[in-house]
Structure formats: C-alpha cells, structure tokens
Amino acid sequence: MLKLFSWRRAIHPSPSSSTRLPAIFRFLSHSPPSAAAALEEIHDPPFSSETLHNRTKIKPAKKKDKQPNVNDNNSNSVEKPPELPFDFMYSYSEISPGVEPIGFREPPKFSPFGPGRLDRNWTGTTAPATVKPDLEKLAKERQKVLGDPISDEEVAELVEKYRHSNCSRQINLGRGGVTHNTLEDIHSHWKRAEAVRIKCLGVPTLDMDNICFHLEDKTGGKIIYRHLNILLLYRGHNYDLRKRPQIPLMLWKPLAPIYPKLVKNVADGLTFEETKEKRNRGLNSPPIMKLTRNGVYVNVVEKVRTAFESNDVVRLDCTHVGSSDCKKIGVKLRVRKLIIIIIKIWFRVSLSCSKTNRLYSGRAKKKASEIFAAFSSKRAQWNTWMKAH
C-alpha cells in the first residue's frame, strides 16, 4: 500500500534546491538579498495577502486652510445662475392664477418639489417668487441672450432641420399644456441643438397664442415657426448653457384643487323656461363638428364664431372626449368670449350628443342598469311561477 500511495508522501526540499529558491523569489519580488528573509520567502511568497497587509500606508498630507480671497465672492456672484422671476405652478397655460380655489384634495403644506428643495412656500396651487422682478432689467437680459435678429436664411435652415416628424429634438405637449418640468426639458434640448420642435395636442390647441406666449415668457426663447399645432422654439445667438437658470423639478403631479361650479342651473340674464327652451333646441340641432380625444382643436374657435353669426345655440359632438376635457373646452371658449349663452346649455349638448348616445352619460347609465335589474327580477319571478303551475 505504501508503494501505491508513495506520491502522497511529503517531499522535503534538498539543500541544493533550497539554495536556489531564495534567489528565484528575490528575482520575482525584487527584494534585496538577505539570509534572514530567505527562509520566510519560501512560506511567504510575494503578492500574498500577508505581505499586502503588512505594508505601511502612506497618509496623505493635510491640506492647509485656504485663506479667504476677496475676489472669490465676486466670482461666485457672477457664476451663480439667475433666479426665475415668475411664480412656480404645475401648468402655466392651463391654470388661471386669478381664480381662487374653494378647496383642496390634498393638504397644501406638502410641496410637490419635495421637502427642503425649494426656498419658496407652496400655497396649494403656486409657489410665489420671493423677490419682485425688475421687468426692464429682465427684458434687457433676454434681449442680450437672443442677440441680433435672426435672418431669413437662418430661419429657413433651422425650419428645414427641425420641422419634420422624425426630428429627435421634439417635445410633446398634452392636456397639461406648458408644465413646469417642460421648461427643464427645453433647456436640456438646447444643450446640443439651437431649436426644439414642440408638438401640441389636446385642449391647449384651442388657444395657441397662449401656448406661444408662455413658452417665450418662461424660457426666454423665440418662436420662429408655427404651423397649426407645430412650433419651433429658438434659444438665441448668445445662449450660454453655464448661465442658464436652474429649474427645480416637481417630483409628482399635484392634485387639482376644487374650483367653483362651472355650470349653473339658470343662465345669467335668462329665466328657467328660456334656459330650458334653448337647451332643448340645442339638443335637437345638428353638431357643427366632431371632436376626438386628444386631437387638434386649432380650427374650433373660428368655426364656433362663424356658427354664432346665424345661430345663438351651437352644438359640438364630444362623444369621444372625456368629461374633464369637456369642462376645459367650455372654459376656454368662454374665456375667448364665444359662448354668448349659458355654458350649461352647451355643456349638456356636448356630453349627450344624440338620443342614442345619452345612455353613455352616468345618470342614464345608472337608470338603464336599474331597469335591467328590475326586468331580470320580474323574469325570474315569471319562471318560478311557470314551473310551479
């Protein structure tokens, strides 16, 4: 058995081999020759964990306290980005700051910017600016960023570059309109592009002038192209990314507050019978146009204005539009002074567009379910009576 397992015996180094090993290890570790370290190198080869652990660590030298320089404060004040001079809110184009809400769906003390991230107080709808802006100084700074007026050749070149649908520098505006976080997206695109393509859809397209005003006012850019719901926003000749304003982002969308009732039971200046007669006449009139969900409503205002020249009640087919969008459409048309009659008439017509579509309203749907339940119970009673007899 010992002969079979002779390979398991411990092999002791010969004196000739022990003399050659220290030289080999010294060559690998680049250590100076020494008789005491020769035996240790056999059991403690180089690059082992023990040798790495025993190495002395060189502590970095302590930096001397930098003496305050008088010019540092001036340099920081120059490089500090300017503060935004307007009040922060979720949507600048779809929220009217003049209308005060009558209630909140969430406590106004919780700011959507997060705790400790904003030096402004959140009132539930807006975060007012702490300092009143100087309009003249602000206008000069924006004119300085825009620089010389852009020539027609440059406009044509930018339009041909960014107006197509496959453009990578595009921002989509939905029912929220010009939101607060959209401003940061625009400046992010301006890092590598002179202009950004903006595509608008939904209720904000009813008033494109309002969209253009808020885009130019909040970003400091200039609209160089406008076709239906497509816009091109130019950043300016002297735009500097390092000096652009820092925009704090909203971490979540705040819940919409509760506003006064939009639809009144009786129209202002009309009696109940007159309001009822106009409502019935509007329900039986044909719609002038059909609106789709999240569509382009650029021509709605002009068509409604033309229809009011011959009729005092106008009907719009809003079957596929949500109830919240219907309310926003009614508010925008009323702001544009196109709805002469009470909004209640127009709003009821827009929700129930025809006699067959009335079942889609909530009240009619509930009534239909009650009729079906009563019918099913009567049918069950009839079946039990037939089985008994």
Side-chain angles (χ1 to χ4, degrees), residues 72-334:
D72 288 348
N73 297 329
N74 298 332
S75 61
N76 292 335
S77 62
V78 172
E79 296 179 359
K80 185 178 179 181
E83 186 181 359
L84 295 174
F86 50 85
D87 300 343
F88 294 164
M89 59 180 65
Y90 172 71
S91 177
Y92 298 102
S93 61
E94 306 304 309
I95 297 178
S96 179
V99 181
E100 294 293 335
I102 59 177
F104 296 97
R105 293 184 174 88
E106 62 181 0
K109 63 180 179 180
F110 298 113
S111 174
F113 295 96
R117 298 182 66 251
L118 192 66
D119 55 351
R120 300 186 183 188
N121 296 326
W122 179 256
T123 61
T125 55
T126 61
T130 56
V131 181
K132 189 176 180 180
D134 189 0
L135 300 180
E136 295 183 0
K137 182 179 179 181
L138 185 63
K140 291 181 180 178
E141 291 178 356
R142 290 185 175 179
Q143 187 62 32
K144 184 179 179 181
V145 172
L146 290 176
D148 298 333
I150 185 170
S151 61
D152 296 339
E153 291 78 8
E154 293 176 345
V155 171
E157 183 180 356
L158 291 174
V159 167
E160 183 62 27
K161 185 178 180 181
Y162 295 105
R163 72 179 179 86
H164 300 285
S165 59
N166 58 353
C167 176
S168 60
R169 304 299 175 184
Q170 175 175 317
I171 296 176
N172 297 326
L173 294 186
R175 64 182 62 183
V178 183
T179 58
H180 182 77
N181 291 350
T182 305
L183 308 181
E184 178 64 24
D185 295 340
I186 292 173
H187 284 284
S188 299
H189 281 289
W190 279 349
K191 289 181 181 179
R192 298 174 179 86
E194 293 181 298
V196 58
R197 182 177 188 263
I198 300 175
K199 183 179 181 180
C200 308
L201 294 173
V203 181
T205 56
L206 278 171
D207 194 356
M208 290 299 296
D209 295 337
N210 186 34
I211 294 290
C212 296
F213 168 76
H214 285 289
L215 286 175
E216 292 183 348
D217 182 62
K218 302 302 185 295
T219 61
K222 183 178 179 58
I223 301 292
I224 59 175
Y225 176 78
R226 173 179 172 181
H227 177 69
L228 296 179
N229 62 325
I230 303 299
L231 304 173
L232 285 185
L233 187 62
Y234 178 64
R235 67 181 184 181
H237 284 290
N238 304 326
Y239 179 80
D240 190 0
L241 181 62
R242 294 170 294 181
K243 296 181 181 180
R244 78 173 186 89
Q246 298 298 328
I247 302 173
L249 297 178
M250 279 191 175
L251 303 183
W252 67 83
K253 177 183 176 181
L255 296 178
I258 303 172
Y259 288 98
K261 190 176 180 180
L262 171 67
V263 179
K264 298 180 180 179
N265 295 328
V266 181
D268 297 335
L270 297 176
T271 61
F272 179 76
E273 283 73 14
E274 293 176 351
T275 304
K276 184 177 179 180
E277 186 268 332
K278 288 182 180 294
R279 184 184 302 119
N280 294 333
R281 186 153 49 89
L283 286 169
N284 297 324
S285 62
I288 60 172
M289 63 184 307
K290 183 178 181 179
L291 303 182
T292 58
R293 185 178 182 85
N294 204 25
V296 180
Y297 310 143
V298 177
N299 301 326
V300 173
V301 174
E302 186 176 356
K303 290 187 177 182
V304 171
R305 183 183 288 112
T306 305
F308 272 138
E309 295 177 358
S310 57
N311 300 321
D312 59 345
V313 180
V314 174
R315 178 183 169 189
L316 296 176
D317 190 350
C318 301
T319 307
H320 304 285
V321 181
S323 60
S324 61
D325 288 351
C326 281
K327 294 178 182 179
K328 293 178 181 179
I329 291 172
V331 171
K332 283 187 173 291
L333 291 177
R334 188 173 64 175

Side-chain angles (χ1 to χ4, degrees), residues 22 25-26 29 31-44:
F25 283 116
R26 282 196 304 272
S29 61
S31 59
S34 62
L39 297 175
E40 295 181 0
E41 289 179 351
I42 300 174
H43 304 286
D44 186 17

Side-chain angles (χ1 to χ4, degrees), residues 364-380:
K365 195 173 183 179
K366 183 178 179 182
K367 188 175 181 180
S369 61
E370 292 175 356
I371 293 172
F372 182 78
F375 176 77
S376 59
S377 63
K378 291 290 184 181
R379 186 177 181 179

